Amino acid sequence: MGAGPVGVAVVGAGVISKQYLGALSGFPDVRVLAVADLDVRRAEAAARTHGVPLAGDVDTVLAVPEVEIVVNLTVPAAHVEVARAALGAGKHVYGEKPLALLPAEGEKLLAEASERGLLVGSAPDTFLGAGLQSALRAVAAGRIGAPVAASTALRSLGPSAGTRTRRSSTSREPGRCSTSARTT
């Protein structure tokens, strides 16, 4: 990635995009350049609300040379398809959970990214969101002294495997969330 702010495009202008667009717009080292959605009017509204200069469909956004990272906020059943399109356009990908519906799909996606020299990440915004990133910056800058302890609290385990979500625009099957853990 080049010097200066990182160029970002958000694909998927649904409910969660408000949180991402609000958080990303507040970081000095990030420039949100574009918003894409199947419903271009929804992408345009999100772009207007958050001061993003370009809105359109996925192909339009992926064609912007200054976009280095695509934030994939589509429905789970479309995560791999959108991520592969972004990789094909030479963009790094960060996606909302899950990375893929099936482990094999996720492994293929990661292999493709590796072959292209690109990065893929996937985590909920609450983990890599504004609150924790601000805390990380405060620690790194020495504003709180040396941390001596940390604590975590969970409200729930999240959706179980097989939980239905909205359908992908390209799928005839209902989407589903899957959770899995793997250690090496």
Side-chain angles (χ1 to χ4, degrees):
M1 292 188 224
V6 175
V8 172
V10 171
V11 176
V15 174
I16 194 68
S17 71
K18 293 173 190 168
Q19 185 174 358
Y20 274 90
L21 287 165
L24 289 169
S25 298
F27 291 126
D29 48 357
V30 172
R31 283 186 324 148
V32 182
L33 300 171
V35 178
D37 197 274
L38 290 173
D39 180 348
V40 174
R41 287 182 294 185
R42 183 166 53 181
E44 290 168 346
R48 261 192 317 277
T49 298
H50 296 280
V52 177
L54 176 69
D57 61 18
V58 174
D59 291 336
T60 299
V61 166
L62 293 180
V64 176
E66 296 83 12
V67 169
E68 298 172 73
I69 301 173
V70 171
V71 176
N72 183 358
L73 304 178
T74 58
V75 297
H79 284 182
V80 170
E81 177 184 351
V82 170
R84 290 192 73 222
L87 293 173
K91 317 295 184 187
H92 302 284
V93 179
Y94 172 84
E96 192 40 91
K97 64 184 183 313
L99 175 66
L101 295 180
L102 300 171
E105 291 175 335
E107 289 171 3
K108 285 180 186 176
L109 182 66
L110 294 175
E112 181 176 343
S114 180
E115 289 169 9
R116 294 176 181 272
L118 296 168
L119 301 173
V120 172
S122 177
D125 178 62
T126 52
F127 176 72
L128 292 177
L132 290 178
Q133 292 301 306
S134 296
L136 178 63
R137 286 190 170 123
V139 170
R143 289 196 294 261
I144 68 165
V148 294
S151 148
T152 301
L154 299 173
R155 292 186 293 183
S156 76
L157 296 176
S160 62
T163 300
R164 287 161 120 28
T165 62
R166 295 182 317 194
R167 289 178 11 159
S168 163
S169 61
T170 59
S171 172
R172 296 174 202 256
E173 298 299 318
R176 67 177 176 89
C177 290
S178 61
T179 57
S180 63
R182 186 170 135 189
T183 58
T184 55

